Amino acid sequence: MPSKQSGGYLNAWYSFNYGFVHVVSLSCESDFPNAPSGNLLDTKTQVNWLKNDLAAVNRSITPWVIVQCHRPWKGSIAIEGLSDGKFINCPQCKAAFEAILIKYKVDIYFAGHMHWYERICPNGGKKTADYINPNGPIYITNGAIGNPEGNDHVFKRSSDSCRIITDPGFGVLTLVNARQATFSFYRTSDLVELDRINIIKAR
């Protein structure tokens, strides 16, 4: 992974540009306060690196900014995840990263960990498929494929959950231009599109 080129650390955190997108990959397991798996270095280096990385993005060149991390901090709770205890939906991830993502106007936050597909409603919970100038990142959990144990089952659905699908599937993000994008979720068994959102940003 391009950690050396982006000033990150090993495969844990790094960033890169792809076309007109700046992609940041974080560690939601380590290296922030109360991290679930301890620290590779300390609790500050990754957080400070994220601030500096996002501050350096030239939005005229890479208008879209996407952050990915393993754990979600918004969304529903799975029966299979109850044993995680205080680490359900990773509130310590939210405490470490969310304000930074909002400050630097990150467009989308992709997570996994939960073995389903879920997207969070924009702007305080309005149920819609149109994300028009949301006041923060669009939160998408796309962990519905690749788990040999099978997908998770909903224990408690979040009040801000717009759509949740437990069928195995995958997502496709299409960036039309600097202001418009779509994201679709497809079921793997028959490639039927089960969900689709439209993203409009005034830039």
Side-chain angles (χ1 to χ4, degrees), residues 54 59 65-67 100-109 136-138 201:
L54 292 177
R59 300 299 280 259
V65 177
I66 296 172
V67 173
I100 302 171
L101 271 55
I102 293 172
K103 177 180 179 179
Y104 291 102
K105 296 179 169 54
V106 168
D107 295 298
I108 304 173
Y109 176 79
I138 297 169
K201 305 297 290 270

Side-chain angles (χ1 to χ4, degrees), residues 37-105:
S37 302
N39 299 305
L40 298 171
L41 295 176
D42 52 51
T43 62
K44 295 181 179 180
T45 300
Q46 177 181 209
V47 175
N48 289 333
W49 172 85
L50 175 63
K51 294 176 182 177
N52 293 331
D53 183 86
L54 292 177
V57 174
N58 185 338
R59 300 299 280 259
S60 67
I61 297 174
T62 52
W64 292 95
V65 177
I66 296 172
V67 173
Q68 61 183 18
C69 203
H70 178 67
R71 293 177 182 261
W73 58 73
K74 292 179 181 286
S76 304
I77 296 172
I79 294 173
E80 292 80 0
L82 295 178
S83 61
D84 282 354
K86 64 181 180 179
F87 296 133
I88 289 174
N89 289 348
C90 201
Q92 62 272 51
C93 299
K94 178 178 180 178
F97 301 127
E98 185 174 57
I100 302 171
L101 271 55
I102 293 172
K103 177 180 179 179
Y104 291 102
K105 296 179 169 54

